[in-house]
Amino acid sequence: MQLTHLCFMLPVDLDEIEQNDPRQVPGTVNKEVDMEKEKENRRRYHHFIAFIRKSLERFCNHRWVGFCRDFPQQHKQNYAETFQDISGILLSDKLNNNNPRIFSYSELYIGTNGFSEDEILGSGGSGRVYRAVLPSDGTIVAVKCVVEKGDKIEKTFAAELMSVAQLRHRNLVKLRGWCVYENQLLLVYDYMPNRSLDRVLFKQQEKTGIAPLSWEIRWKIISGLAGALFYLHEQLETQIIHRDIKTSNVMLDSHYNARLGDFGLARWLDHEIQLPTSLPTPTLSTRSQKFRLAETTRIGGTIGYLSPESFQRNTMATAKSDVFSFGIVALEVASGRRAVDLAYPDEQIVLLDWVRKLSDEGMCLKARDLRLPEGSYKSSDIERLMHLGLLCSLNSPQLRPTMKWVVEALSSNFVGELPALPSFQSHPFYISLSSATTTATRTTISSISAASNSSIYFTATEDTMFLTAENGESKSRSDERVKTILSVDTPREISYKELVSATNNFSEDRRVAELDFGTAYHAYLDNHHHVLVKRLGMKTCPALRSRFSDELRNLTRLRHRNLVQLRGWCTEQGEMLVVYDYSACQLLSHLLFQHRQENTNLALKWSHRYKIMKSLASAILYLHEEWDEQVIHKNITSSAIILDQNMNPRLSCFALAEFLARNEHGPHVIIDPKKSVQGIFGYMSPEYIQTAEAKTSTDVYSFGVVVLEVVSGRMAVDFRRPEVLLVKKVHEFENQQRSLLELVDGRLDGNYDHKELARLVRLGKACTNSNPELRPSMRQIVSILDGNDSLLKEVQRPENPEEWRNQNGRSLSLIRRIQALGIQ
């Protein structure tokens, strides 16, 4: 008889045994003794189960036990080191499930039916992609398999793994894990039911009988792709250049949301790397080689999507290279045809050249997808997308917009007309077509002007270019990362012994500050990672332990350059230790208020204040709209904002955050009648205090309070002042028709930008409107802070004094009661 399954049955939990034991007699004589015995029995039980599970894990991981090598990850914890007084919380389970993991080859082999031909989803230059059903839980995933190994293949694999493992965005394909087995390299992704954009966009209606993508879905896809690229270019610690943007790398989930994948050519670069002042731009005498269609494999990318500067030797790929590729995809979405298609007449083979010619003739609409039914779209929308695609695909990188500007141009908040297009008559053809018997025609690309003309894009005020991994020292960094493929840098559990050693046993000379119910220490992990270790007090408090668990679970799921970055945690010895990447650890509240009465030289500079608010707005927008779930922070205060040495803010304190699952109609909100109000008085919106229902407008209100604090240098709540609440002071100024500019922090001594100051004051007032429907969204706020003052006029609404008092009645009543007690 052949053994096919081996199942181990563990005893039920001790709590269940006790509840169902008929021999248990109620009303014992000595309850205290019984309770002590119960605790001791429970402790011994957990030790016993931990021993059994570890023994089974060792057994299952032996090489000769091939059928069960992938022992469930949730049993790999030491139960003696978990919180014993938090009912139902297995901390490591909740954290580890959010991070990519190493899959066993047997699990992927079983899931793909032995990598069957029937399970192939697609194939490319680096390997095949299979559909797999994980035997552990039945989850459907996509497995990208690279069969051949080699230096180039391993670099590509490492680049994709190192890039995607750290990313968290709703428009990026989520990496579930990886596997390295003999000569195979495998990456495991979320399964995309609607495959890739090229398969859906270019299918022939007359052959399949399936209707083409609707215009509404196309707009959603291109907007999602723009958001993903903006995230990669500007919202991470290091800039990521994808370098292979094309329709076949844009995956579609069940609701046709765009998910950018295939990071095999991606490069990650420090934001601080600047292009040399003497740009190595081509001159009129520079020969720029044009490639024939047969020579496409010689370039790192795909012909039709590669920017013109990529055709030159020793070029530097920049974020603007991705912008060019995005522009081509935008033209494909609008026209419904491929970037390069030999089935068309010669003058239409290259989509970009054809649309440029139509643009000069004022006939762009002629290139629209004729399969779209009449009346299902607005002609102006198609022309707008083509116009935007041509702007993004201009020959000069400096003349292309940033992805941040593109995201705004695609949103409903965009005001005004798009910048005018140049005449393309003098532009060279993108590809010089020639027969196989003749040599490729060589043409000259127009000179790229060193002077940037990006001012036509009102959000692209600073245009920075970046070096690539092929230049200088960056190449060696890439090589080093290949050697550590398996050491993906995700949050992990850190031993108590390691943290004691790193902080010199939590010595006073390592203490940095008091943070959120605990003390912060700086330390070095592995002798090179500079970290901040937050040690929470009140170890036996169940409420604080619950906050600790929530904060860890929340932070492991987010990644943004203006959010505090979690590196690890520790729960040994009953401790509650959180480890973050180190910053200078200055709190915004400290810089704004602690030196209020001291020398004005200590006051925070205006340029720093404005920069902090712009970055903070970007982080909150990421939480509200750009991650897989909608996140309501609920604790946005000046004390929750940590500043590094360059005054870059990092939003922290995620213990109160709510994560709302999205569906095709928006975030899924669950009404809980037992929910209580949680937050900091003075920053909580009036409607949240009344209903305890947190929405994005709740965070907008808190952000507005911080804006007013930054402008005035006054605390949100100050019982030394007659009005107590800062928002009340602002409201009184408005009722008295006094200039809100009188609120400006006197320590600035007039050293501020008057236009920016007026913008911040008006924005703070709009965000703290008592009516949540009259507050701007975070996307509108980001646009306003980028200089879109016309949008600010739309969101400003005067507020009736009586209505304001009614809406804020509970806060005002609480203040009166506190004042009656004589508390200051």
PDB file of all heavy atoms in Angstrom, residues 93-121:
ATOM      1  N   ASP A  93       2.087  35.621  13.471  1.00  0.00           N
ATOM      2  CA  ASP A  93       1.228  35.215  12.354  1.00  0.00           C
ATOM      3  C   ASP A  93       0.785  36.423  11.553  1.00  0.00           C
ATOM      4  O   ASP A  93       0.902  36.477  10.339  1.00  0.00           O
ATOM      5  CB  ASP A  93      -0.025  34.496  12.872  1.00  0.00           C
ATOM      6  CG  ASP A  93       0.322  33.129  13.432  1.00  0.00           C
ATOM      7  OD1 ASP A  93       1.497  32.749  13.346  1.00  0.00           O
ATOM      8  OD2 ASP A  93      -0.589  32.465  13.949  1.00  0.00           O
ATOM      9  N   LYS A  94       0.234  37.411  12.235  1.00  0.00           N
ATOM     10  CA  LYS A  94      -0.354  38.558  11.559  1.00  0.00           C
ATOM     11  C   LYS A  94       0.711  39.361  10.815  1.00  0.00           C
ATOM     12  O   LYS A  94       0.449  39.957   9.792  1.00  0.00           O
ATOM     13  CB  LYS A  94      -1.067  39.453  12.582  1.00  0.00           C
ATOM     14  CG  LYS A  94      -2.316  38.817  13.176  1.00  0.00           C
ATOM     15  CD  LYS A  94      -2.907  39.704  14.251  1.00  0.00           C
ATOM     16  CE  LYS A  94      -4.163  39.077  14.838  1.00  0.00           C
ATOM     17  NZ  LYS A  94      -5.369  39.492  14.226  1.00  0.00           N
ATOM     18  N   LEU A  95       1.936  39.392  11.355  1.00  0.00           N
ATOM     19  CA  LEU A  95       2.992  40.164  10.731  1.00  0.00           C
ATOM     20  C   LEU A  95       3.587  39.433   9.536  1.00  0.00           C
ATOM     21  O   LEU A  95       3.735  39.997   8.465  1.00  0.00           O
ATOM     22  CB  LEU A  95       4.088  40.463  11.758  1.00  0.00           C
ATOM     23  CG  LEU A  95       3.670  41.413  12.881  1.00  0.00           C
ATOM     24  CD1 LEU A  95       4.772  41.492  13.921  1.00  0.00           C
ATOM     25  CD2 LEU A  95       3.361  42.792  12.351  1.00  0.00           C
ATOM     26  N   ASN A  96       3.933  38.163   9.711  1.00  0.00           N
ATOM     27  CA  ASN A  96       4.618  37.428   8.655  1.00  0.00           C
ATOM     28  C   ASN A  96       3.749  37.222   7.428  1.00  0.00           C
ATOM     29  O   ASN A  96       4.255  37.099   6.319  1.00  0.00           O
ATOM     30  CB  ASN A  96       5.092  36.069   9.180  1.00  0.00           C
ATOM     31  CG  ASN A  96       6.206  36.224  10.196  1.00  0.00           C
ATOM     32  OD1 ASN A  96       6.940  37.201  10.158  1.00  0.00           O
ATOM     33  ND2 ASN A  96       6.327  35.277  11.108  1.00  0.00           N
ATOM     34  N   ASN A  97       2.425  37.177   7.614  1.00  0.00           N
ATOM     35  CA  ASN A  97       1.540  36.965   6.471  1.00  0.00           C
ATOM     36  C   ASN A  97       1.555  38.130   5.497  1.00  0.00           C
ATOM     37  O   ASN A  97       1.097  38.010   4.374  1.00  0.00           O
ATOM     38  CB  ASN A  97       0.106  36.722   6.954  1.00  0.00           C
ATOM     39  CG  ASN A  97      -0.043  35.360   7.595  1.00  0.00           C
ATOM     40  OD1 ASN A  97       0.775  34.477   7.383  1.00  0.00           O
ATOM     41  ND2 ASN A  97      -1.074  35.197   8.406  1.00  0.00           N
ATOM     42  N   ASN A  98       2.059  39.291   5.923  1.00  0.00           N
ATOM     43  CA  ASN A  98       2.077  40.463   5.055  1.00  0.00           C
ATOM     44  C   ASN A  98       3.326  40.527   4.186  1.00  0.00           C
ATOM     45  O   ASN A  98       3.404  41.326   3.265  1.00  0.00           O
ATOM     46  CB  ASN A  98       1.996  41.746   5.899  1.00  0.00           C
ATOM     47  CG  ASN A  98       0.693  41.852   6.638  1.00  0.00           C
ATOM     48  OD1 ASN A  98      -0.348  41.532   6.084  1.00  0.00           O
ATOM     49  ND2 ASN A  98       0.742  42.276   7.885  1.00  0.00           N
ATOM     50  N   ASN A  99       4.330  39.731   4.483  1.00  0.00           N
ATOM     51  CA  ASN A  99       5.613  39.821   3.808  1.00  0.00           C
ATOM     52  C   ASN A  99       5.804  38.668   2.838  1.00  0.00           C
ATOM     53  O   ASN A  99       5.301  37.562   3.054  1.00  0.00           O
ATOM     54  CB  ASN A  99       6.746  39.824   4.831  1.00  0.00           C
ATOM     55  CG  ASN A  99       6.720  41.059   5.704  1.00  0.00           C
ATOM     56  OD1 ASN A  99       6.423  42.146   5.229  1.00  0.00           O
ATOM     57  ND2 ASN A  99       7.029  40.885   6.978  1.00  0.00           N
ATOM     58  N   PRO A 100       6.590  38.879   1.759  1.00  0.00           N
ATOM     59  CA  PRO A 100       6.919  37.776   0.863  1.00  0.00           C
ATOM     60  C   PRO A 100       7.686  36.685   1.612  1.00  0.00           C
ATOM     61  O   PRO A 100       8.435  36.975   2.543  1.00  0.00           O
ATOM     62  CB  PRO A 100       7.807  38.447  -0.194  1.00  0.00           C
ATOM     63  CG  PRO A 100       7.492  39.901  -0.109  1.00  0.00           C
ATOM     64  CD  PRO A 100       7.154  40.159   1.315  1.00  0.00           C
ATOM     65  N   ARG A 101       7.487  35.434   1.202  1.00  0.00           N
ATOM     66  CA  ARG A 101       8.151  34.329   1.888  1.00  0.00           C
ATOM     67  C   ARG A 101       8.803  33.396   0.868  1.00  0.00           C
ATOM     68  O   ARG A 101       8.581  33.506  -0.340  1.00  0.00           O
ATOM     69  CB  ARG A 101       7.140  33.541   2.718  1.00  0.00           C
ATOM     70  CG  ARG A 101       6.082  32.784   1.905  1.00  0.00           C
ATOM     71  CD  ARG A 101       5.164  32.002   2.814  1.00  0.00           C
ATOM     72  NE  ARG A 101       4.100  31.316   2.117  1.00  0.00           N
ATOM     73  CZ  ARG A 101       4.178  30.065   1.674  1.00  0.00           C
ATOM     74  NH1 ARG A 101       5.313  29.386   1.809  1.00  0.00           N
ATOM     75  NH2 ARG A 101       3.144  29.499   1.071  1.00  0.00           N
ATOM     76  N   ILE A 102       9.620  32.495   1.377  1.00  0.00           N
ATOM     77  CA  ILE A 102      10.257  31.501   0.517  1.00  0.00           C
ATOM     78  C   ILE A 102       9.306  30.312   0.358  1.00  0.00           C
ATOM     79  O   ILE A 102       8.862  29.730   1.349  1.00  0.00           O
ATOM     80  CB  ILE A 102      11.594  31.036   1.126  1.00  0.00           C
ATOM     81  CG1 ILE A 102      12.551  32.219   1.258  1.00  0.00           C
ATOM     82  CG2 ILE A 102      12.216  29.951   0.262  1.00  0.00           C
ATOM     83  CD1 ILE A 102      13.862  31.857   1.932  1.00  0.00           C
ATOM     84  N   PHE A 103       8.978  29.985  -0.881  1.00  0.00           N
ATOM     85  CA  PHE A 103       8.135  28.834  -1.174  1.00  0.00           C
ATOM     86  C   PHE A 103       9.015  27.606  -1.396  1.00  0.00           C
ATOM     87  O   PHE A 103      10.138  27.714  -1.895  1.00  0.00           O
ATOM     88  CB  PHE A 103       7.290  29.072  -2.434  1.00  0.00           C
ATOM     89  CG  PHE A 103       6.117  29.977  -2.229  1.00  0.00           C
ATOM     90  CD1 PHE A 103       6.267  31.356  -2.272  1.00  0.00           C
ATOM     91  CD2 PHE A 103       4.852  29.465  -1.995  1.00  0.00           C
ATOM     92  CE1 PHE A 103       5.187  32.196  -2.093  1.00  0.00           C
ATOM     93  CE2 PHE A 103       3.760  30.294  -1.812  1.00  0.00           C
ATOM     94  CZ  PHE A 103       3.932  31.665  -1.856  1.00  0.00           C
ATOM     95  N   SER A 104       8.499  26.449  -1.036  1.00  0.00           N
ATOM     96  CA  SER A 104       9.195  25.210  -1.372  1.00  0.00           C
ATOM     97  C   SER A 104       8.889  24.860  -2.821  1.00  0.00           C
ATOM     98  O   SER A 104       7.813  25.158  -3.348  1.00  0.00           O
ATOM     99  CB  SER A 104       8.748  24.081  -0.451  1.00  0.00           C
ATOM    100  OG  SER A 104       7.395  23.735  -0.714  1.00  0.00           O
ATOM    101  N   TYR A 105       9.843  24.232  -3.462  1.00  0.00           N
ATOM    102  CA  TYR A 105       9.646  23.851  -4.861  1.00  0.00           C
ATOM    103  C   TYR A 105       8.503  22.851  -4.996  1.00  0.00           C
ATOM    104  O   TYR A 105       7.730  22.896  -5.962  1.00  0.00           O
ATOM    105  CB  TYR A 105      10.940  23.257  -5.420  1.00  0.00           C
ATOM    106  CG  TYR A 105      10.841  22.902  -6.881  1.00  0.00           C
ATOM    107  CD1 TYR A 105      10.879  23.881  -7.866  1.00  0.00           C
ATOM    108  CD2 TYR A 105      10.694  21.571  -7.297  1.00  0.00           C
ATOM    109  CE1 TYR A 105      10.791  23.571  -9.211  1.00  0.00           C
ATOM    110  CE2 TYR A 105      10.601  21.240  -8.638  1.00  0.00           C
ATOM    111  CZ  TYR A 105      10.648  22.251  -9.593  1.00  0.00           C
ATOM    112  OH  TYR A 105      10.537  21.934 -10.926  1.00  0.00           O
ATOM    113  N   SER A 106       8.372  21.957  -4.003  1.00  0.00           N
ATOM    114  CA  SER A 106       7.308  20.952  -4.072  1.00  0.00           C
ATOM    115  C   SER A 106       5.935  21.602  -4.059  1.00  0.00           C
ATOM    116  O   SER A 106       5.011  21.149  -4.746  1.00  0.00           O
ATOM    117  CB  SER A 106       7.436  19.974  -2.900  1.00  0.00           C
ATOM    118  OG  SER A 106       7.379  20.663  -1.665  1.00  0.00           O
ATOM    119  N   GLU A 107       5.791  22.677  -3.276  1.00  0.00           N
ATOM    120  CA  GLU A 107       4.504  23.370  -3.214  1.00  0.00           C
ATOM    121  C   GLU A 107       4.142  23.960  -4.568  1.00  0.00           C
ATOM    122  O   GLU A 107       2.994  23.877  -5.031  1.00  0.00           O
ATOM    123  CB  GLU A 107       4.564  24.463  -2.148  1.00  0.00           C
ATOM    124  CG  GLU A 107       3.242  25.175  -1.916  1.00  0.00           C
ATOM    125  CD  GLU A 107       3.312  26.191  -0.789  1.00  0.00           C
ATOM    126  OE1 GLU A 107       4.421  26.403  -0.264  1.00  0.00           O
ATOM    127  OE2 GLU A 107       2.269  26.750  -0.441  1.00  0.00           O
ATOM    128  N   LEU A 108       5.116  24.569  -5.248  1.00  0.00           N
ATOM    129  CA  LEU A 108       4.854  25.170  -6.557  1.00  0.00           C
ATOM    130  C   LEU A 108       4.693  24.096  -7.628  1.00  0.00           C
ATOM    131  O   LEU A 108       3.914  24.271  -8.572  1.00  0.00           O
ATOM    132  CB  LEU A 108       5.989  26.130  -6.922  1.00  0.00           C
ATOM    133  CG  LEU A 108       6.217  27.295  -5.939  1.00  0.00           C
ATOM    134  CD1 LEU A 108       7.334  28.196  -6.444  1.00  0.00           C
ATOM    135  CD2 LEU A 108       4.935  28.098  -5.754  1.00  0.00           C
ATOM    136  N   TYR A 109       5.400  23.005  -7.483  1.00  0.00           N
ATOM    137  CA  TYR A 109       5.289  21.903  -8.443  1.00  0.00           C
ATOM    138  C   TYR A 109       3.891  21.298  -8.395  1.00  0.00           C
ATOM    139  O   TYR A 109       3.257  21.059  -9.427  1.00  0.00           O
ATOM    140  CB  TYR A 109       6.346  20.838  -8.142  1.00  0.00           C
ATOM    141  CG  TYR A 109       6.420  19.728  -9.165  1.00  0.00           C
ATOM    142  CD1 TYR A 109       7.225  19.860 -10.289  1.00  0.00           C
ATOM    143  CD2 TYR A 109       5.679  18.557  -8.996  1.00  0.00           C
ATOM    144  CE1 TYR A 109       7.295  18.842 -11.236  1.00  0.00           C
ATOM    145  CE2 TYR A 109       5.740  17.532  -9.934  1.00  0.00           C
ATOM    146  CZ  TYR A 109       6.551  17.686 -11.060  1.00  0.00           C
ATOM    147  OH  TYR A 109       6.611  16.687 -11.994  1.00  0.00           O
ATOM    148  N   ILE A 110       3.398  21.074  -7.181  1.00  0.00           N
ATOM    149  CA  ILE A 110       2.042  20.532  -7.024  1.00  0.00           C
ATOM    150  C   ILE A 110       1.013  21.535  -7.520  1.00  0.00           C
ATOM    151  O   ILE A 110       0.052  21.180  -8.217  1.00  0.00           O
ATOM    152  CB  ILE A 110       1.788  20.172  -5.552  1.00  0.00           C
ATOM    153  CG1 ILE A 110       2.689  19.022  -5.108  1.00  0.00           C
ATOM    154  CG2 ILE A 110       0.318  19.806  -5.324  1.00  0.00           C
ATOM    155  CD1 ILE A 110       2.648  18.743  -3.625  1.00  0.00           C
ATOM    156  N   GLY A 111       1.202  22.810  -7.191  1.00  0.00           N
ATOM    157  CA  GLY A 111       0.229  23.838  -7.548  1.00  0.00           C
ATOM    158  C   GLY A 111       0.086  24.041  -9.043  1.00  0.00           C
ATOM    159  O   GLY A 111      -0.987  24.414  -9.528  1.00  0.00           O
ATOM    160  N   THR A 112       1.160  23.797  -9.805  1.00  0.00           N
ATOM    161  CA  THR A 112       1.126  23.987 -11.262  1.00  0.00           C
ATOM    162  C   THR A 112       0.913  22.663 -12.004  1.00  0.00           C
ATOM    163  O   THR A 112       1.081  22.623 -13.229  1.00  0.00           O
ATOM    164  CB  THR A 112       2.444  24.610 -11.745  1.00  0.00           C
ATOM    165  OG1 THR A 112       3.536  23.759 -11.360  1.00  0.00           O
ATOM    166  CG2 THR A 112       2.649  25.992 -11.166  1.00  0.00           C
ATOM    167  N   ASN A 113       0.552  21.594 -11.261  1.00  0.00           N
ATOM    168  CA  ASN A 113       0.397  20.269 -11.868  1.00  0.00           C
ATOM    169  C   ASN A 113       1.666  19.847 -12.599  1.00  0.00           C
ATOM    170  O   ASN A 113       1.639  19.395 -13.755  1.00  0.00           O
ATOM    171  CB  ASN A 113      -0.801  20.238 -12.828  1.00  0.00           C
ATOM    172  CG  ASN A 113      -2.121  20.330 -12.101  1.00  0.00           C
ATOM    173  OD1 ASN A 113      -2.258  19.834 -10.983  1.00  0.00           O
ATOM    174  ND2 ASN A 113      -3.095  20.976 -12.726  1.00  0.00           N
ATOM    175  N   GLY A 114       2.787  20.040 -11.887  1.00  0.00           N
ATOM    176  CA  GLY A 114       4.067  19.647 -12.477  1.00  0.00           C
ATOM    177  C   GLY A 114       4.496  20.592 -13.588  1.00  0.00           C
ATOM    178  O   GLY A 114       5.147  20.172 -14.559  1.00  0.00           O
ATOM    179  N   PHE A 115       4.154  21.882 -13.443  1.00  0.00           N
ATOM    180  CA  PHE A 115       4.452  22.902 -14.460  1.00  0.00           C
ATOM    181  C   PHE A 115       3.914  22.451 -15.825  1.00  0.00           C
ATOM    182  O   PHE A 115       4.615  22.436 -16.841  1.00  0.00           O
ATOM    183  CB  PHE A 115       5.950  23.203 -14.532  1.00  0.00           C
ATOM    184  CG  PHE A 115       6.483  23.835 -13.266  1.00  0.00           C
ATOM    185  CD1 PHE A 115       7.116  23.077 -12.307  1.00  0.00           C
ATOM    186  CD2 PHE A 115       6.302  25.190 -13.039  1.00  0.00           C
ATOM    187  CE1 PHE A 115       7.589  23.644 -11.133  1.00  0.00           C
ATOM    188  CE2 PHE A 115       6.768  25.775 -11.868  1.00  0.00           C
ATOM    189  CZ  PHE A 115       7.406  25.000 -10.914  1.00  0.00           C
ATOM    190  N   SER A 116       2.642  22.105 -15.786  1.00  0.00           N
ATOM    191  CA  SER A 116       1.965  21.592 -16.974  1.00  0.00           C
ATOM    192  C   SER A 116       1.805  22.672 -18.037  1.00  0.00           C
ATOM    193  O   SER A 116       1.644  23.856 -17.728  1.00  0.00           O
ATOM    194  CB  SER A 116       0.583  21.056 -16.575  1.00  0.00           C
ATOM    195  OG  SER A 116      -0.220  20.824 -17.701  1.00  0.00           O
ATOM    196  N   GLU A 117       1.847  22.239 -19.288  1.00  0.00           N
ATOM    197  CA  GLU A 117       1.631  23.160 -20.408  1.00  0.00           C
ATOM    198  C   GLU A 117       0.246  23.795 -20.332  1.00  0.00           C
ATOM    199  O   GLU A 117       0.040  24.924 -20.783  1.00  0.00           O
ATOM    200  CB  GLU A 117       1.777  22.403 -21.737  1.00  0.00           C
ATOM    201  CG  GLU A 117       3.162  21.857 -22.001  1.00  0.00           C
ATOM    202  CD  GLU A 117       4.129  22.927 -22.477  1.00  0.00           C
ATOM    203  OE1 GLU A 117       3.648  23.928 -23.021  1.00  0.00           O
ATOM    204  OE2 GLU A 117       5.345  22.754 -22.293  1.00  0.00           O
ATOM    205  N   ASP A 118      -0.717  23.079 -19.747  1.00  0.00           N
ATOM    206  CA  ASP A 118      -2.081  23.597 -19.655  1.00  0.00           C
ATOM    207  C   ASP A 118      -2.193  24.768 -18.687  1.00  0.00           C
ATOM    208  O   ASP A 118      -3.185  25.500 -18.718  1.00  0.00           O
ATOM    209  CB  ASP A 118      -3.034  22.481 -19.195  1.00  0.00           C
ATOM    210  CG  ASP A 118      -3.102  21.338 -20.195  1.00  0.00           C
ATOM    211  OD1 ASP A 118      -2.865  21.598 -21.394  1.00  0.00           O
ATOM    212  OD2 ASP A 118      -3.373  20.199 -19.764  1.00  0.00           O
ATOM    213  N   GLU A 119      -1.208  24.938 -17.803  1.00  0.00           N
ATOM    214  CA  GLU A 119      -1.266  25.998 -16.809  1.00  0.00           C
ATOM    215  C   GLU A 119      -0.480  27.237 -17.217  1.00  0.00           C
ATOM    216  O   GLU A 119      -0.349  28.178 -16.438  1.00  0.00           O
ATOM    217  CB  GLU A 119      -0.735  25.488 -15.463  1.00  0.00           C
ATOM    218  CG  GLU A 119      -1.493  24.315 -14.888  1.00  0.00           C
ATOM    219  CD  GLU A 119      -2.924  24.665 -14.556  1.00  0.00           C
ATOM    220  OE1 GLU A 119      -3.229  25.859 -14.379  1.00  0.00           O
ATOM    221  OE2 GLU A 119      -3.773  23.752 -14.468  1.00  0.00           O
ATOM    222  N   ILE A 120       0.070  27.267 -18.423  1.00  0.00           N
ATOM    223  CA  ILE A 120       0.873  28.412 -18.864  1.00  0.00           C
ATOM    224  C   ILE A 120      -0.031  29.617 -19.121  1.00  0.00           C
ATOM    225  O   ILE A 120      -1.005  29.527 -19.875  1.00  0.00           O
ATOM    226  CB  ILE A 120       1.677  28.066 -20.131  1.00  0.00           C
ATOM    227  CG1 ILE A 120       2.720  26.991 -19.815  1.00  0.00           C
ATOM    228  CG2 ILE A 120       2.354  29.309 -20.686  1.00  0.00           C
ATOM    229  CD1 ILE A 120       3.524  26.553 -21.018  1.00  0.00           C
ATOM    230  N   LEU A 121       0.295  30.725 -18.488  1.00  0.00           N
ATOM    231  CA  LEU A 121      -0.449  31.977 -18.691  1.00  0.00           C
ATOM    232  C   LEU A 121       0.187  32.839 -19.772  1.00  0.00           C
ATOM    233  O   LEU A 121      -0.485  33.618 -20.436  1.00  0.00           O
ATOM    234  CB  LEU A 121      -0.510  32.764 -17.381  1.00  0.00           C
ATOM    235  CG  LEU A 121      -1.248  32.114 -16.213  1.00  0.00           C
ATOM    236  CD1 LEU A 121      -1.106  32.967 -14.953  1.00  0.00           C
ATOM    237  CD2 LEU A 121      -2.719  31.926 -16.558  1.00  0.00           C
TER     238      LEU A 121
END
